[in-house]
Amino acid sequence: MASLRDIKRRIRSVTNTSKITKAMQMVASAKMRRAQELALRGREYIAAIANVFEHLQETIAESSSPLMQKREQGKVLVLVINTDRGLCGGLNSNLMREVLLKAPADADYITIGGKLNAQIAKAGRNLAATYSLGDDFSDSDLKPVLDHVRDSFTDGTYREVLVAYQSFVNIMVQKPHVAPLLPITKEELLAVAGTDDMPDTDNGNFILEPNPSELLNAILPIYFSNAITQLVLEGKASEQCARMVAMKAATENAKTLIGDLTLEYNKARQAQITNELLEITTAMKAME
């Protein structure tokens, strides 16, 4: 049995740890509300873009935008949106498992967040670049990533771009996905337009300037940039939710462990007192 001093030391250590996890839970909870708000607001912006696509369906079907060019030759680029910090449960490991299952092994990889860099390299995947974004990132912070992905696709370096990300469902559920990002397909844009809740309208009631083709070519880069931004926001919301849940579980486990250690300490202390009493009694009997 451990000594009383060792048990007290463990109780003190676990108590200090629980204070840290409780503080991290509260911080993650505050950040989670902000991240959720941004993610949900981004979905509203996607719906607004969809309303524009609703009136460009014929143009979409005939578009030759560089972002929609399909190629048969070339490598695949995979953008992995993960976290810079750990202590968020199985969020990153679940995403990595999805990447290993659905992303090609011979692709080039770039990451937003560095937590999975070592695992990607260990899996034998080529890590071409990595970027880091804070919790309150700006458009200028994300611009190097957007430029890298867009330019390397439009100049023909890559024939396809995939993105691995966490989809925010609710506080308890975040789902990892690997999905195509580029080229933007006509089916994708028409599907986006089909998700709009706006009532059907007659395209003839609208005058589009410049012409529909130029308008679509101007909107597609905005749609592409916003799509990546939205995925990053979904990832940030998922991260804070997962961290809050993980830290809450860690705090509760620490309380349970403190209770078990306290019980063990009391039993050990009681046994020590009993032994001391027996020794005194034995000594008194010996003196009679």
Side-chain angles (χ1 to χ4, degrees), residues 1-287:
M1 180 180 292
S3 67
L4 292 177
R5 181 178 298 177
D6 291 337
I7 297 174
K8 288 183 69 175
R9 186 182 297 115
R10 289 187 63 191
I11 291 175
R12 186 163 52 250
S13 175
V14 175
T15 300
N16 292 337
T17 301
S18 69
K19 292 178 181 178
I20 295 173
T21 56
K22 180 64 175 179
M24 294 184 67
Q25 175 191 340
M26 295 175 66
V27 171
S29 178
K31 290 183 177 181
M32 178 195 68
R33 286 189 287 270
R34 172 64 175 166
Q36 278 184 278
E37 179 184 348
L38 291 174
L40 296 176
R41 190 182 301 169
R43 293 176 183 178
E44 294 177 1
Y45 189 73
I46 288 285
I49 295 178
N51 189 36
V52 178
F53 287 147
E54 182 72 25
H55 305 295
L56 297 173
Q57 295 189 31
E58 293 183 2
T59 306
I60 290 173
E62 302 172 356
S63 176
S64 59
S65 169
L67 294 177
M68 299 181 69
Q69 292 300 312
K70 295 182 179 180
R71 304 183 183 90
E72 299 297 330
Q73 304 295 327
K75 297 186 67 176
V76 175
L77 177 67
V78 181
L79 171 63
V80 182
I81 302 174
N82 63 110
T83 71
D84 282 308
R85 296 185 297 274
L87 299 177
C88 50
L91 192 74
N92 287 316
S93 58
N94 291 338
L95 181 62
M96 187 64 196
R97 189 180 302 113
E98 194 77 1
V99 168
L100 294 177
L101 285 174
K102 297 184 178 179
D106 59 348
D108 288 342
Y109 288 75
I110 63 174
T111 60
I112 297 177
K115 201 62 183 176
L116 288 180
N117 288 353
Q119 294 186 45
I120 291 174
K122 186 177 180 180
R125 310 293 173 98
N126 179 37
L127 185 60
T130 182
Y131 299 90
S132 180
L133 296 175
D135 293 328
D136 297 321
F137 66 92
S138 64
D139 291 342
S140 59
D141 297 327
L142 193 56
K143 188 176 185 301
V145 185
L146 299 175
D147 292 343
H148 185 157
V149 174
R150 182 185 60 250
D151 295 344
S152 59
F153 174 78
T154 55
D155 65 14
T157 303
Y158 299 104
R159 63 178 172 84
E160 184 181 15
V161 179
L162 303 178
V163 58
Y165 66 99
Q166 292 284 354
S167 174
F168 172 73
V169 180
N170 55 48
I171 294 177
M172 301 299 297
V173 180
Q174 301 85 38
K175 294 184 178 180
H177 295 281
V178 175
L181 183 64
L182 290 174
I184 299 172
T185 64
K186 299 168 184 176
E187 292 77 15
E188 174 188 348
L189 295 181
L190 293 175
V192 170
T195 61
D196 187 20
D197 294 330
M198 298 294 290
D200 293 335
T201 54
D202 182 5
N203 291 347
N205 295 334
F206 291 84
I207 299 175
L208 303 178
E209 290 190 6
N211 61 64
S213 179
E214 293 181 14
L215 182 60
L216 179 62
N217 289 335
I219 292 177
L220 281 177
I222 298 174
Y223 170 75
F224 163 74
S225 300
N226 186 76
I228 293 185
T229 302
Q230 180 62 26
L231 296 181
V232 173
L233 292 174
E234 297 269 346
K236 294 294 183 184
S238 298
E239 176 187 356
Q240 299 304 335
C241 289
R243 180 169 293 117
M244 187 198 70
V245 172
M247 291 302 98
K248 181 179 180 181
T251 302
E252 292 175 351
N253 290 338
K255 291 179 179 178
T256 301
L257 183 55
I258 290 171
D260 294 340
L261 289 172
T262 301
L263 180 61
E264 182 180 351
Y265 176 84
N266 292 335
K267 287 181 177 179
R269 179 60 178 158
Q270 185 178 22
Q272 184 184 52
I273 294 172
T274 302
N275 290 333
E276 291 174 354
L277 290 174
L278 287 174
E279 290 175 1
I280 293 172
T281 303
T282 302
M284 292 177 62
K285 289 291 185 180
M287 293 175 64

